[in-house]
Amino acid sequence: MPAHQSRSKTRDRNNVLNRPEFMSLNHPLRNSSSGEVRGSARRGGQTKHQQCPHQQTDHAQESVEHNKDRRESVKLPEEDCMQLNPSFKGIAFNSLLAIDLCMSKRLGVCAYSYSSWGSIRSIVGLLALTGHFIPWICGTILCLSRSNTLAGQEVLVNLLLALILDVMTVAGVQKLVKRKGPLELSPSFLDYVAMDVYSFPAAHASRAVMVAKFLLSHLVLAVPLRILLVLWAFLVGVSRILLGRHHLTDVGCGFALGFLHYSLVEMVWLPSSTCQTLISIGTLSWSPFI
């Protein structure tokens, strides 16, 4: 064997690239075949794009619409966002309601006979009864039947209409709001009769303020009686809080509603002739007024 052949074999054995794991590095890449495949694929794609441009546009529009649908599905509803991020007004309103409930529960010291002021519960209940609808409607009708003057009958008929307006308005608002009292006491029989079932607004407070303002405007009373009348209207509202029937805000809104009822009655004040017609219809005696 020639010496140069033995040296070449030794050189090949010592070469790292001749090892089995590096044999693939010695073979040339098949660029021709892969280039042909890639070229054919590109040509095919170009022909497809040239042949179907409308299909490509439709596919792009479908992908855009699909992405929009996915974004809309990921978005949270607006109501959930409001619950997760409540506004400052909502937080303030809920805080005021919580304070109102807490203070009203603490002030309900006559709600039960075993309460801290349970010994005067009957007196407070009697004071609240003076602002009930039934005593005032019955007393007004009784006075109207005994009255002989046209001026007195005019005042009493308008007072009767004011009482009816008050009870109907308060009952309607209570039905809409359906707010329960601070201690959630069950209504009494008289409350069911007067349709005073719920807490907001306080019917006794509204009626007391309306009647007090009405009497102060249309009756000539001494100063002590006028002060007692105002104090009575205020204590009627407070008595309902002490009995645990109403919140503080219920009584406050009842006072405001009573002033509103008085203003409405003054705006639509019925004259004496109309009052006499209503009295004649109520008593079924037409002959004196024809």
Side-chain angles (χ1 to χ4, degrees):
M1 181 180 294
H4 66 276
Q5 293 181 358
S6 61
R7 290 193 191 97
S8 63
K9 290 180 179 179
T10 304
R11 193 183 301 110
D12 292 337
R13 284 196 301 270
N14 294 331
N15 192 3
V16 178
L17 297 176
N18 291 328
R19 293 181 181 179
E21 57 268 22
F22 298 106
M23 290 295 292
S24 61
L25 297 176
N26 296 327
H27 298 286
L29 296 174
R30 297 178 180 178
N31 294 330
S32 61
S33 62
S34 61
E36 292 176 357
V37 173
R38 291 175 183 173
S40 62
R42 289 175 183 173
R43 288 192 297 270
Q46 291 177 358
T47 55
K48 287 181 180 179
H49 289 313
Q50 293 175 358
Q51 292 176 359
C52 304
H54 298 289
Q55 294 181 359
Q56 182 182 4
T57 306
D58 295 339
H59 179 69
Q61 292 178 355
E62 291 177 357
S63 62
V64 171
E65 292 177 356
H66 180 66
N67 292 331
K68 287 183 180 179
D69 294 337
R70 290 185 62 184
R71 292 194 195 98
E72 292 177 357
S73 62
V74 171
K75 289 182 180 179
L76 291 173
E78 186 177 356
E79 296 178 356
D80 295 341
C81 295
M82 292 297 293
Q83 293 176 1
L84 294 175
N85 299 315
S87 61
F88 175 76
K89 293 182 180 180
I91 295 174
F93 182 72
N94 292 330
S95 300
L96 290 176
L97 288 180
I99 295 172
D100 180 32
L101 179 61
C102 181
M103 294 182 64
S104 301
K105 285 184 176 181
R106 290 188 177 184
L107 291 174
V109 293
C110 299
Y112 306 100
S113 58
Y114 54 83
S115 299
S116 58
W117 289 14
S119 58
I120 62 171
R121 186 172 182 270
S122 58
I123 299 175
V124 176
L126 183 62
L127 178 61
L129 184 62
T130 59
H132 200 273
F133 172 73
I134 294 178
W136 278 103
I137 197 75
C138 293
T140 303
I141 293 174
L142 180 62
C143 292
L144 185 59
S145 63
R146 299 295 180 89
S147 180
N148 296 322
T149 61
L150 296 179
Q153 292 177 355
E154 179 183 353
V155 171
L156 290 173
V157 168
N158 283 277
L159 177 59
L160 183 63
L161 295 178
L163 290 171
I164 296 174
L165 173 65
D166 178 81
V167 71
M168 297 302 293
T169 305
V170 172
V173 176
Q174 286 186 358
K175 289 291 184 181
L176 290 175
V177 179
K178 293 185 178 180
R179 187 186 189 187
K180 296 183 179 180
L183 301 178
E184 298 186 1
L185 301 174
S186 58
S188 62
F189 173 75
L190 293 178
D191 292 333
Y192 280 111
V193 172
M195 296 180 289
D196 187 13
V197 180
Y198 295 100
S199 176
F200 181 88
H204 290 67
S206 173
R207 191 173 304 112
V209 168
M210 188 269 296
V211 170
K213 184 65 176 173
F214 189 93
L215 296 179
L216 289 173
S217 299
H218 297 282
L219 295 181
V220 180
L221 300 174
V223 175
L225 291 178
R226 297 173 74 89
I227 295 174
L228 288 177
L229 191 59
V230 174
L231 184 62
W232 164 80
F234 175 74
L235 291 178
V236 167
V238 173
S239 66
R240 298 294 289 178
I241 298 174
L242 297 179
L243 292 172
R245 296 288 183 178
H246 294 286
H247 301 82
L248 289 171
T249 52
D250 300 336
V251 174
C253 292
F255 287 156
L257 193 60
F259 279 108
L260 179 62
H261 289 160
Y262 167 76
S263 301
L264 290 176
V265 171
E266 291 294 325
M267 290 175 60
V268 295
W269 184 267
L270 299 181
S272 179
S273 58
T274 306
C275 294
Q276 295 302 318
T277 303
L278 293 176
I279 292 173
S280 63
I281 294 174
T283 57
L284 299 178
S285 57
W286 287 82
S287 56
F289 306 104
I290 295 177

